[in-house]
């Protein structure tokens, strides 16, 4: 990592050795926190953004200033702030510097105005122009928030503006001195030290301002210094002054000034750079790298900036343990790697650092192999590089000093750590091997293992064995029927306690027991296996496309962990089991598996490589470190770390709420939610939630995932740039659960509610009012109808009474007078006409009686109807001597029946009975009357067929009249005439 510094100090080979020693110390000791650097993806369609200033708010959201535009980056997307406040700000002044203070106020300093945006209300407040320097002197240089939370604004003409809470104080000491000397004195930097604000100037001087009394200022000219003081660094007992082109000086705050030389680091003389300090973190950045320094400007770590064009760094903002670098290309973040994660990069010549083999000795010495050479690092840090030993894959200790090494193409080598030498192994071929395999030896060695008597060699062409004492090389013995069963790539050999072998091959997992070969996985077809790990009675496999697969001893799959369960990739190259965890190196990052939980480690946490190599892993038990080889060296994991109990979990916030109202779709937006701390959103009637966006500050640190659930529903992933919406929701409370999954087994959860308010016509009180209104209308209608019916009944009674009393009495007198006259003149004259008058008046009297009965509302009951019908039949029996049977069924109580039904039913009954008497054969007439849900009248009699069909005999008028009357009351009228029986039926609802 010390590329630029060390290359200039040491030769090439010395650089490799020092770099390797340094990296090894970090990897093994793990005593200091390593940092990494990443570029933020500020816009989906732009890779390069010119950054003029960058700041951070209290929640961790990043704000940056480009050429006249201010944006807030929420971890996923950038919000254009000036567009959201276009109706509030002054348009004739563009922001030149920005700062978000600890009260969540975005300060926007322009060359004419000073404003701040209150993030809790999203309202812009302008600072009174009277408190600012004169208009011609408002060119702003910088704006800073100091350690005591005071905000300072510096102007080119020397004016300073202190903002403490809501108090603004203007300091004109530098301006007045420059005016007096006729030579402008501009502020260039500031530091808070020993209760004072120290401002470095362009005149090589320092101004001190007492924090408790800003009016107490003191000007400190520095002897021999006449250049810009570019940066100030506060130490415990002094200030370090970076003076342009003059070097670094130490200033004790009084008059003591001395030259200062940082230990192991020097500020550049020919590059533009930026230096910033906050609390105990000090950062230097130029166009190539960012350096973490201590308070004495001593180098702690150098990080190359992953820039494309090597543009300048324009500004640095330190926030907590992060540093934001604003450059002409974008924003880069320097932040700590995940604890316990480090990197060991081989220093062999060449760009290819891909590694396949590593062995750690009990005393901590390391032997490693890469595609481009091998090396040995002694416990004292001494390094020996073997450039000619390429493609060293497999390593197995033969004794305390000798290491057996399997290579690709070079067969077997021996490394002697005492002599620091590599030599070819001396072996002899068995007679069988010499006769059959002399031209097919295991030159490509992929794996090694050992039994008590032999070294087992897994090669591209099968399984071999080397006798430990005689070094006789022979093909592994199999039964006669399976001689060539293992002519496959043996990628890994696992020796079980019962001397059974598990062989991971490019076709699957094979078991060798007593010379017999059995394929255990897959049971059908072929799939590559890179390694097997046995835990209790379960065999875990690193597969070539099926993820991590667990099988029992018979080969049945008992469990599988794939991308569906959270694995980063299903191509698993290497796997180890350490401290109860599975560690898998895949084609896309590392994975730690604990039970059913998968913890992924990617580039964001400081991993310098994403793809790992086949079987390239080593579990160093004494030091509790796991090495996994990949395309860029070895990743080292400290397995003593609590990988699944990380206390620092990222949190997500609702950053934007967009709504639309009514048919017109009037839009509104709210950007204040994360700062107000509210947990409930109220949607007005007719309002829809068109977009609820979620942001995750610090999302660049880990491969975080965000998911949400509505009410008690299932979790749904919230992808990059996605949002939550509720279009035209029903009035109700919608409870959202938001979870951020990053480095711990359980995610950080938030709960908020969205309450949709109803329209007035959807409220309970409106519904109750409508219900009461409808009930009142219905009640009034029934009361009105009851009154109508009551009046109608009274009228009907009156009409019936009048007919009975007036017309009835008159008809009765006519009848008796005609009858008396007929009796007197019976012997003298022909009384035919008088008899007709008497009969007609009698018939009219009977008809009128029926009409009076039908009109009189006092007879509107079933019981009265039945009495009337029986009375009528009884009279006919006396007059005509008929035989009948009258059967009545059902409820015969005082059930009400309407006048219309009663009248028409009785008239139909009379007509039907008259026809039965008139056209019948004189036999019994059967009358049935049923009162149930409907009134059913049935009348049946026999007739004589001598005069033709019964229908023709009736002429049809009587039946037609009865049908018409039935239709008036909504009844069904029907009749049949079969086998001399006439049957008539009437059904009235």
């Amino acid at each position: 990592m010390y590329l630029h510094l060390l290359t200039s100090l040491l030769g090439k080979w010395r650089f490799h050795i020092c770099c390797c020693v340094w990296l090894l110390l970090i990897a093994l000791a793990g005593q200091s926190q390593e940092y990494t650097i990443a570029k933020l993806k500020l816009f989906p369609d732009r890779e390069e953004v010119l950054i003029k200033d960058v700041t951070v708010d209290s929640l961790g959201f990043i704000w940056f200033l480009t050429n006249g535009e201010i944006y807030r980056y929420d971890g996923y997307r950038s919000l254009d702030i000036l567009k959201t406040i276009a109706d509030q700000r002054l348009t004739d002044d563009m922001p030149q510097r920005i700062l978000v203070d600890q009260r969540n106020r975005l300060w926007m300093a322009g060359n004419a105005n000073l404003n701040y945006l209150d993030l809790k209300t999203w309202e812009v407040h302008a600072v009174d122009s009277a408190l600012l320097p004169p208009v011609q002197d408002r060119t702003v240089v910088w704006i800073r928030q100091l350690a005591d939370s005071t905000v300072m604004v510096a102007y080119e003409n020397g004016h300073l503006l202190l903002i403490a809470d809501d108090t603004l104080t203007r300091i004109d000491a530098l301006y007045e001195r420059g005016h007096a000397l006729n030579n402008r004195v501009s502020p260039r930097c500031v530091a808070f030290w020993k209760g004072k604000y120290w401002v470095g100037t362009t005149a090589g001087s320092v101004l001190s301002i007492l924090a408790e009394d800003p009016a107490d200022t003191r000007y400190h000219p520095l002897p021999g210094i006449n250049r810009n003081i570019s940066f100030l660094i506060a130490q415990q007992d002094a200030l370090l002054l970076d003076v342009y082109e003059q070097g670094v000086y130490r200033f004790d705050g009084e008059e003591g000034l001395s030259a200062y030389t940082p230990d192991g680091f020097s500020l550049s003389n020919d590059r533009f750079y930026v230096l910033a300090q906050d609390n105990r973190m000090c950062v230097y950045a130029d166009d190539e790298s960012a350096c973490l320094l201590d308070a004495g400007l001593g180098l702690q770590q150098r990080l190359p900036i992953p820039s494309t064009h090597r543009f300048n760094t324009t500004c640095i903002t330190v926030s907590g343990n992060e540093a934001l670098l604003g450059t002409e290309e974008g924003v880069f973040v320097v932040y700590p790697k995940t604890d316990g994660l480090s990197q060991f990069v081989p220093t062999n010549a060449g760009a290819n650092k891909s590694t396949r083999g590593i062995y750690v000795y009990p005393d901590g010495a390391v032997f490693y192999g890469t595609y481009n050479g091998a090396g040995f690092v002694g416990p004292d840090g001494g390094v020996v590089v073997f450039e000619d030993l390429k493609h060293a894959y497999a390593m197995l200790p033969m004794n305390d000093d000798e290491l057996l090494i399997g290579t690709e193409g070079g067969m077997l080598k021996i490394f002697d750590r005492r002599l620091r030498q590599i030599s070819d192994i001396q072996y002899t071929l068995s007679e069988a091997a010499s006769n059959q395999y002399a031209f097919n030896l295991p030159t490509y060695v992929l794996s090694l293992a050992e039994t008590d008597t032999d070294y087992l060699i897994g090669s591209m062409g099968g399984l071999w064995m080397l006798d430990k004492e005689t070094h006789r090389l022979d093909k592994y013995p199999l039964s006669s029927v399976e001689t060539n069963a293992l002519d496959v790539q043996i990628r890994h050999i696992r020796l079980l306690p019962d001397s059974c072998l598990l062989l991971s091959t490019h076709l699957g997992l094979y078991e060798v027991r007593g010379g017999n070969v059995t394929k255990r996985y897959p049971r059908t077809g072929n799939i590559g296996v890179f390694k097997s790990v046995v835990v209790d009675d379960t065999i875990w496999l690193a597969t070539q496309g099926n993820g991590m697969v667990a099988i029992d001893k018979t080969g049945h799959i008992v469990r599988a962990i794939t991308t569906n369960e959270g694995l980063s990739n299903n191509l698993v190259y290497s796997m180890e089991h350490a401290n109860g965890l599975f560690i898998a190196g895949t084609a896309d990052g590392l994975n730690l598996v604990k039970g059913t939980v998968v913890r992924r480690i990617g580039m964001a946490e400081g991993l310098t490589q994403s793809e790992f190599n086949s079987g390239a892993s080593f579990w160093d038990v004494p030091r509790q470190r796991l090495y996994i080889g990949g395309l860029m060296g070895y990743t080292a994991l400290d397995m003593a770390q609590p990988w699944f109990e990380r206390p620092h979990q990222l949190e997500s916030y609702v950053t934007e709420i967009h709504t639309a109202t009514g048919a017109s779709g009037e839009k509104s937006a709210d950007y204040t939610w994360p700062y107000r701390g509210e947990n409930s959103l109220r949607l007005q009637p007719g309002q829809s939630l068109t977009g609820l966006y979620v942001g995750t500050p610090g999302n660049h640190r880990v491969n975080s995932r965000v998911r949400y659930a509505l009410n008690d529903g299932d979790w749904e992933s919230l992808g990059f740039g996605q949002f939550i919406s509720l279009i035209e929701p029903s009035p109700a409370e919608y409870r959202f659960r938001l979870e951020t999954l990053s480095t711990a087994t359980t995610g950080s959860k938030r709960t908020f509610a969205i309450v949709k308010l109803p329209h007035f016509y959807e409220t309970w009180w409106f519904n109750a009012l409508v219900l009461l209104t409808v009930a009142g209308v219905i009640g009034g209608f029934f009361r009105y109808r009851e009154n109508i019916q009551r009046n109608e009944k009274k009228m009907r009674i009156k009409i019936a009474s009048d007919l009975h009393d007036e017309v009835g009495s008159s008809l009765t007198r006519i009848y008796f007078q005609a009858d008396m006259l007929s009796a007197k003149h019976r012997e003298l004259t022909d009384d035919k006409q008088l008899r007709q008058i008497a009969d007609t008046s009698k018939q009219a009297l009977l008809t009128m009686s029926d009409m009076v009965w039908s009109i009189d509302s006092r007879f509107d009951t079933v019981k009265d109807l039945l009495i009337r019908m029986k009375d009528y039949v009884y009279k006919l029996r006396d007059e005509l001597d008929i035989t009948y049977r009258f059967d009545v069924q059902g409820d015969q109580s005082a059930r009400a029946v309407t006048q219309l039904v009663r009248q028409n039913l009785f008239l139909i009954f009379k007509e039907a009975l008259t026809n039965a008497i008139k056209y019948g054969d004189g036999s019994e007439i059967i009358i049935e009357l049923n009162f149930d849900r409907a009134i059913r009248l049935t009348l049946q009699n026999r007739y004589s067929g001598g005069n033709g069909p019964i229908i023709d005999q009736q002429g049809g008028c009587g039946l037609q009249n009865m049908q018409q009357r039935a239709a008036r009351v909504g009844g069904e009228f029907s009749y049949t005439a079969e086998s001399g029986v006439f049957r008539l039926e009437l059904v009235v609802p």
Side-chain angles (χ1 to χ4, degrees), residues 2-299:
Y2 299 111
L3 181 61
H4 304 291
L5 180 63
L6 293 179
T7 301
S8 62
L9 299 177
L10 305 172
K12 182 177 181 181
W13 64 273
R14 290 182 179 177
F15 162 68
H16 290 323
I17 292 175
C18 293
C19 187
C20 185
V21 171
W22 183 78
L23 289 168
L24 184 64
L25 290 175
I26 289 180
L28 298 181
Q31 295 178 352
S32 61
Q33 177 70 66
E34 283 191 89
Y35 280 73
T36 187
I37 188 170
K39 183 180 180 180
L40 298 182
K41 183 68 173 177
L42 301 177
F43 300 98
D45 55 347
R46 294 169 59 186
E47 293 296 332
E48 297 180 4
V49 183
L50 173 61
I51 305 298
K52 296 181 63 176
D53 210 350
V54 62
T55 182
V56 183
D57 64 30
S58 62
L59 299 181
F61 293 118
I62 297 172
W63 301 68
F64 59 94
L65 172 67
T66 65
N67 282 328
E69 293 293 335
I70 302 174
Y71 295 89
R72 181 186 69 184
Y73 179 69
D74 63 9
Y76 304 104
R77 53 201 294 270
S78 298
L79 172 68
D80 191 336
I81 300 301
L82 297 186
K83 286 185 178 179
T84 69
I85 57 175
D87 59 337
Q88 301 184 63
R89 68 184 184 92
L90 298 175
T91 57
D92 59 347
D93 187 24
M94 301 302 292
Q96 302 299 314
R97 294 289 182 267
I98 61 171
L99 172 76
V100 178
D101 65 16
Q102 294 182 356
R103 295 176 59 186
N104 282 323
R105 296 180 297 183
L106 171 66
W107 290 93
M108 298 172 287
N111 290 334
N113 304 292
L114 178 63
N115 307 286
Y116 73 85
L117 172 67
D118 188 339
L119 304 186
K120 294 182 180 180
T121 62
W122 219 254
E123 295 180 355
V124 176
H125 301 268
V127 173
D128 188 352
S129 182
L131 301 175
L132 301 179
V135 174
Q136 66 274 14
D137 297 332
R138 291 181 185 175
T139 302
V140 66
V141 182
W142 46 258
I143 180 171
R144 300 279 188 272
Q145 182 160 31
L146 305 175
D148 65 344
S149 300
T150 298
V151 174
M152 180 179 288
V153 184
Y155 294 91
E156 188 67 36
N157 271 20
H159 297 284
L160 298 171
L161 188 65
L162 291 178
I163 306 172
D165 294 329
D166 294 322
T167 302
L168 281 77
T169 304
R170 200 174 80 189
I171 309 295
D172 296 333
L174 291 180
Y175 171 79
E176 292 170 352
R177 188 172 187 86
H179 185 70
L181 298 175
N182 198 25
N183 186 15
R184 186 170 60 187
V185 179
S186 300
R188 280 294 174 263
C189 53
V190 66
F192 182 75
W193 181 61
K194 290 188 175 182
K196 294 182 179 180
Y197 310 120
W198 299 82
V199 180
T201 73
T202 56
S205 57
V206 177
L207 177 71
S208 63
I209 305 170
L210 186 63
E212 294 182 354
D213 182 12
D216 186 352
T217 63
R218 181 181 174 187
Y219 189 79
H220 303 266
L222 303 177
I225 297 179
N226 55 12
R227 293 298 189 86
N228 290 347
I229 299 179
S230 303
F231 302 102
L232 288 174
I233 301 298
Q235 294 182 307
Q236 185 174 358
D237 56 351
L239 286 172
L240 295 183
L241 283 61
D242 176 22
V243 183
Y244 179 66
E245 293 185 342
Q246 288 190 254
V248 181
Y249 293 84
R250 190 174 185 273
F251 176 58
D252 64 5
E254 296 297 330
E255 303 301 330
L257 183 70
S258 60
Y260 179 81
T261 302
D263 185 14
F265 184 77
S266 60
L267 303 178
S268 176
N269 293 322
D270 56 357
R271 287 194 180 121
F272 178 84
Y273 62 85
V274 185
L275 191 64
Q277 180 192 35
D278 184 24
N279 295 326
R280 301 178 64 180
M281 190 174 185
C282 184
V283 182
Y284 163 96
D286 52 28
D287 60 342
E288 288 191 350
S289 61
C291 297
L292 299 176
L293 309 176
D294 57 24
L297 299 185
L299 181 64

Side-chain angles (χ1 to χ4, degrees), residues 554-603:
T554 63
H556 288 90
I557 297 176
V558 296
R559 189 180 169 196
I561 300 177
T562 66
T563 52
N564 293 331
E565 287 71 37
L567 203 67
S568 61
N569 196 283
N570 287 333
L571 183 55
V572 183
Y573 285 119
S574 58
M575 181 171 60
E576 295 286 346
H577 186 256
N579 294 349
L581 304 179
F582 285 99
I583 301 90
T586 73
D588 185 20
L590 284 177
N591 297 262
L592 280 71
V593 182
K594 180 180 181 181
T596 59
V597 181
V598 178
R599 187 207 189 295
R600 297 186 293 183
I601 301 177
M603 305 287 281

Side-chain angles (χ1 to χ4, degrees), residues 37 119 276 307 390 397 417 419 482 512 545 579 640 672 679 704 757 776 875 898 921 957:
I37 188 170
L119 304 186
S307 172
K390 302 180 186 300
R417 66 173 290 181
L419 303 176
E482 297 182 308
V512 181
N579 294 349
T672 65
N679 294 316
S704 65
L757 300 177
K875 290 180 179 179
T898 64
D921 62 356
C957 293

